Amino acid sequence: MADGGFWNNQERAQSVVQEVKALRAWVEPFERIEARLASAREMEELLAMEPDAEMEAEVDAEAEALRGELREFEVRSLMRGRDDFRDAQVEISAGAGGTEAQDWAQMLMRMYERWAQRKGFEVEVLDLSEGEEAGIKGAVLEIRGQNAFGFLRPETGVHRLVRISPFDAQARRHTSFASVFVYPVVNEEINIEIRDDDLRIDVYRASGAGGQHVNKTSSAVRITHLPTGIVAASQQERSQHKNKATAMKMLKNRLYNLEAEKQAAAKAVLDATKSDVSFGSQIRSYVFQPYTMVNDHRTELKIPDVQKVMDGGIDPFIEAYLKEQGEQAVGGRPA
C-alpha cells in the first residue's frame, strides 16, 4: 500500500452514486428548511392581518421544530473531514481491572447502540469477546447512517468510570477504564492493495455460550497484517467464509485509517491539542458515586444526568466538541 498517489486512487475509485448521496444529504435538508421557513413567514403575515389563537400556536410549534432542524444542520456543517460522511466502525476494549472494566466496556457498547437507535441508524455487531464473569473484553460495532463517522469520531479515546462496584462484596468505589476507537467504513470500490503474503490467517472456535453451533467448529477468523501488526477478527457468523470476509473488511478499514493518519500527520504540525484527540487520552469521566456527573475533559461540558447519557444521550458532547474544533479551524489553529 504505497503512500504516493493513494488519495488519487481513492478519489478515482469513489462511486458516482455515493457522491450524489452525499450531496443530497446537504441539499435536501437545506431545501426542506428553506420551504418550512417560507411557509412559517406566510403564516406570520396572515396572523398580522387577522389574529388567530390556533394558528399562532401552530406557528410557535413550527418555529420550535425549525430551531431543532437548524441546530442539527449547523452540527452537520461542522463535519468537514474527508471521511465524515461514511459509516463507522466502533471498537471498544476493556482496560485493566478485570470484571469491573469488562462490565464498563459492555455499558459503553449499549450506550452507542442506544445512540444509534435514536438516530435511526443501523447497528451490527461484527465481533464480540465476552468476559469470564460478566461484561465484554471487547467488541466491534458497525454503525450505518449518514455522517455516522463524522458524529462518532469525537468518541475516540479513553472513557473513565467511577462507581461503587456491584462486583465488590465490600461495596468499595472503583475507577475503571475502557478505550474506544472509531474507524470510517471504506467503500468496496476503494482500492487498498493487500497482498496475500502480508497476511496471517488463524481460525479458532468462537467464544459464545456453550452448546451453540459456532462453538463446535473453527468458524472464527483472525487476520493479522504482518507489515503493520494490525489485527482484525470476526466470530459472529456461523460460516468461516463469512467471518473471513467480515475480518477482511475490518482490516481494510483499519489500513485505510492508518493511511489517512499518515497523510494528516504529513500536512499538520503536532501541537498541544494533539493529545486531546489521541487514542490514549482520557476524554470523558462518568461518575456514578458519590455524585452523578459526566464530564468531557476536552470541552469541559458537564451533564449531571448520567443515566440519560448512558441511555445514548451523547449528542451534547459530540456537538460541543465539533463546535470547538470548528472555532479553532476558523481561528487558524489546527482542528
Side-chain angles (χ1 to χ4, degrees):
M1 188 173 60
D3 290 348
F6 178 86
W7 289 119
N8 290 334
N9 291 336
Q10 183 267 338
E11 290 168 0
R12 285 195 296 268
Q14 183 71 41
S15 70
V16 174
V17 173
Q18 285 205 324
E19 289 181 8
V20 170
K21 183 180 178 181
L23 290 172
R24 279 182 178 170
W26 285 102
V27 174
E28 289 177 356
F30 179 82
E31 291 179 341
R32 184 173 60 252
I33 291 171
E34 189 176 42
R36 292 183 67 176
L37 185 58
S39 177
R41 284 174 174 166
E42 288 176 2
M43 293 173 69
E44 275 192 323
E45 291 173 2
L46 289 173
L47 279 173
M49 292 186 291
E50 187 177 344
D52 181 280
E54 187 175 338
M55 185 180 289
E56 186 174 351
E58 189 177 341
V59 170
D60 289 342
E62 183 68 4
E64 185 63 30
L66 275 169
R67 274 192 286 270
E69 281 206 42
L70 285 169
R71 180 185 176 190
E72 184 177 343
F73 192 80
E74 178 190 9
V75 172
R76 288 191 59 246
S77 72
L78 297 171
M79 297 181 192
R80 304 185 181 97
R82 181 185 293 271
D83 298 306
D84 282 352
F85 73 96
R86 298 187 187 278
D87 297 335
Q89 280 186 4
V90 181
E91 183 178 26
I92 304 166
S93 301
T99 302
E100 175 70 9
Q102 290 167 15
D103 188 55
W104 173 226
Q106 187 172 45
M107 291 167 66
L108 286 174
M109 177 179 168
R110 178 185 179 275
M111 182 182 78
Y112 291 120
E113 287 177 322
R114 294 302 298 271
W115 174 85
Q117 291 167 4
R118 286 184 173 198
K119 289 285 186 184
F121 291 171
E122 296 180 19
V123 182
E124 181 181 357
V125 179
L126 298 183
D127 191 39
L128 181 67
S129 177
E130 297 178 354
E132 287 85 359
E133 297 179 29
I136 60 172
K137 295 177 181 177
V140 179
L141 308 178
E142 183 160 302
I143 298 179
R144 306 184 189 105
Q146 188 66 40
N147 295 103
F149 177 70
F151 280 116
L152 287 169
R153 62 178 169 82
E155 293 300 296
T156 290
V158 172
H159 297 244
R160 173 176 175 257
L161 169 68
V162 179
R163 68 170 180 177
I164 294 174
S165 173
F167 307 102
D168 188 334
Q170 300 181 33
R172 291 172 295 187
R173 191 169 63 182
H174 286 240
T175 298
S176 305
F177 297 89
S179 60
V180 174
F181 200 93
V182 183
Y183 303 91
V185 174
V186 181
N187 300 321
E188 292 301 324
E189 292 86 357
I190 295 175
N191 182 26
I192 296 179
E193 182 183 356
I194 303 177
R195 299 192 309 161
D196 291 341
D197 292 346
D198 290 339
L199 301 179
R200 184 178 73 239
I201 301 176
D202 301 308
V203 295
Y204 56 99
R205 292 188 179 183
S207 59
Q212 295 181 1
H213 170 83
V214 291
N215 300 101
K216 297 177 182 178
T217 62
S218 297
S219 59
V221 176
R222 181 189 300 111
I223 301 177
T224 304
H225 187 249
L226 299 175
T228 61
I230 292 175
V231 178
S234 176
Q235 58 178 322
Q236 291 304 103
E237 302 289 346
R238 294 190 174 194
S239 162
Q240 184 184 114
H241 176 73
K242 289 182 179 179
N243 278 326
K244 181 179 179 181
T246 299
M248 281 296 293
K249 182 179 179 181
M250 292 164 64
L251 177 62
K252 191 176 184 183
N253 292 332
R254 283 151 178 70
L255 291 173
Y256 177 91
N257 194 71
L258 178 64
E259 189 67 28
E261 288 178 348
K262 288 180 181 178
Q263 293 291 323
K267 293 178 181 177
V269 178
L270 294 178
D271 59 11
T273 64
K274 181 67 177 177
S275 61
D276 293 337
V277 294
S278 66
F279 178 67
S281 65
Q282 179 179 304
I283 65 168
R284 196 175 298 148
S285 293
Y286 306 70
V287 182
F288 285 69
Q289 282 99 11
Y291 55 90
T292 61
M293 181 70 68
V294 183
N295 179 23
D296 193 292
H297 303 295
R298 301 162 301 177
T299 63
E300 294 305 321
L301 176 63
K302 298 176 175 64
I303 295 180
D305 192 345
V306 66
Q307 293 298 338
K308 183 177 180 180
V309 173
M310 296 311 302
D311 199 39
I314 59 174
D315 279 323
F317 296 114
I318 293 171
E319 292 173 13
Y321 178 83
L322 291 174
K323 287 179 180 178
E324 183 173 281
Q325 293 295 290
E327 289 171 1
Q328 290 181 0
V330 170
R333 299 187 300 274

